Amino acid sequence: MIEVNVDQDTVEKLTKDEIQKRLSEADFDLVLWDKHELTRRTCMSWSTIQKTFFYHPDCPKVKLGGKWYFKAEEMKDFLLKWVEEQKED
């Protein structure tokens, strides 16, 4: 039988580093992201985003004309903070 042990702190650090790397590499000077850009940049489905952080009180979002938009710089900062908060749970 095979047993696998995972160091949670290492996984969280690697996840945070990878999010930061992808955000840095994919920065195209966009001021706003729509939900499709947010899903692309987080590698999460829209339903996962809604279940995890969309309704967080600090999530920077605005609905314009029936469509959700996210301020790019504020969302980057929020996501990095949110990942850190997940370590506390």
Side-chain angles (χ1 to χ4, degrees):
M1 178 148 69
I2 297 174
E3 183 177 321
V4 177
N5 293 316
V6 178
D7 180 7
Q8 189 66 26
D9 290 335
T10 301
V11 171
E12 289 171 357
K13 182 183 181 332
L14 290 171
T15 301
K16 179 182 175 185
D17 292 346
E18 188 64 23
I19 288 172
Q20 181 61 49
K21 177 183 165 192
R22 288 178 186 251
L23 288 174
S24 296
E25 290 174 352
D27 191 6
F28 297 108
D29 295 324
L30 295 175
V31 174
L32 294 174
W33 297 345
D34 62 6
K35 75 176 191 176
H36 299 290
E37 185 68 15
L38 181 61
T39 59
R40 186 184 73 78
R41 289 182 182 247
T42 59
C43 298
M44 294 178 170
S45 69
W46 182 240
S47 62
T48 299
I49 288 170
Q50 289 178 308
K51 289 176 189 172
T52 55
F53 64 80
F54 183 79
Y55 296 105
H56 189 287
D58 296 331
C59 182
K61 59 187 176 288
V62 62
K63 195 169 190 179
L64 301 172
K67 189 173 177 180
W68 286 106
Y69 290 96
F70 309 88
K71 293 180 181 179
E73 290 300 318
E74 288 181 26
M75 183 53 85
K76 288 179 198 177
D77 293 340
F78 167 78
L79 288 170
L80 293 172
K81 181 181 174 189
W82 179 79
V83 168
E84 286 298 314
E85 289 174 356
Q86 301 316 297
K87 293 195 298 190
E88 297 171 7
D89 292 341

